[in-house]
Amino acid sequence: MQSNTKHWLVTRLTSLPLAVLFFYFITQGEYLNTRVRMEFISWLQKPFVTGAALVFIICAFWHAKLGMEEIIIDYVPSKNTQALTLFVNKLVFLVLGVACLYAVYAISFGKF
C-alpha cells in the first residue's frame, strides 16, 4: 500500500470512532458540565467511560497529527523546514497525547 493511500485510510479510520464517541460524550453532558469535581471523577472511573475516553484521546491526537502533516506537506515549501516541522508536529502531539492519557489514568485509578 502506498504511503498516501495508507495516510488517507488511517485518517478516515481514526475519524470513525471520533464521530461515535463525540455523540456519546455529548449525551453525557450532565457529567462533563458538572460543577462538582467528585461527580465527574466518579463518572470517569467507570470502566466503559475510561475506555471510551482513552480511545477518544488516542484517535483524536492521531487524527490531528495526520491532519497537521497534510497541512505541513502542502504548505511548507522547503524540504528541510518541512522535515523539522513534521518532527516537531509528531513530538507535540505525542507529548500532549501522553499527558492526556496519564490524566485519565490518574483519575481512573485514584492517583489524582
Side-chain angles (χ1 to χ4, degrees):
M1 187 180 293
Q2 287 184 343
S3 178
N4 291 340
T5 306
K6 182 180 178 187
H7 194 275
W8 181 86
L9 185 63
V10 172
T11 303
R12 296 321 180 263
L13 289 176
T14 56
S15 67
L16 292 175
L18 286 176
V20 173
L21 290 172
F22 171 78
F23 288 111
Y24 169 72
F25 286 123
I26 289 296
T27 62
Q28 300 296 310
E30 66 185 84
Y31 298 107
L32 294 172
N33 292 328
T34 184
R35 294 178 191 258
V36 181
R37 182 173 182 252
M38 291 310 295
E39 186 177 329
F40 172 76
I41 289 172
S42 65
W43 172 74
L44 190 59
Q45 288 177 336
K46 295 177 184 175
F48 180 79
V49 177
T50 299
L54 294 175
V55 169
F56 188 83
I57 289 167
I58 291 168
C59 289
F61 280 99
W62 195 0
H63 188 80
K65 180 191 83 71
L66 292 171
M68 284 302 298
E69 281 179 3
E70 285 294 316
I71 293 169
I72 292 166
I73 290 169
D74 288 345
Y75 294 106
V76 177
S78 169
K79 292 294 180 191
N80 292 334
T81 307
Q82 195 177 81
L84 177 64
T85 310
L86 287 171
F87 174 74
V88 170
N89 180 54
K90 283 183 183 178
L91 186 64
V92 166
F93 280 110
L94 177 68
V95 168
L96 291 174
V98 168
C100 289
L101 291 172
Y102 176 74
V104 171
Y105 168 79
I107 290 172
S108 297
F109 296 104
K111 308 265 190 234
F112 59 96

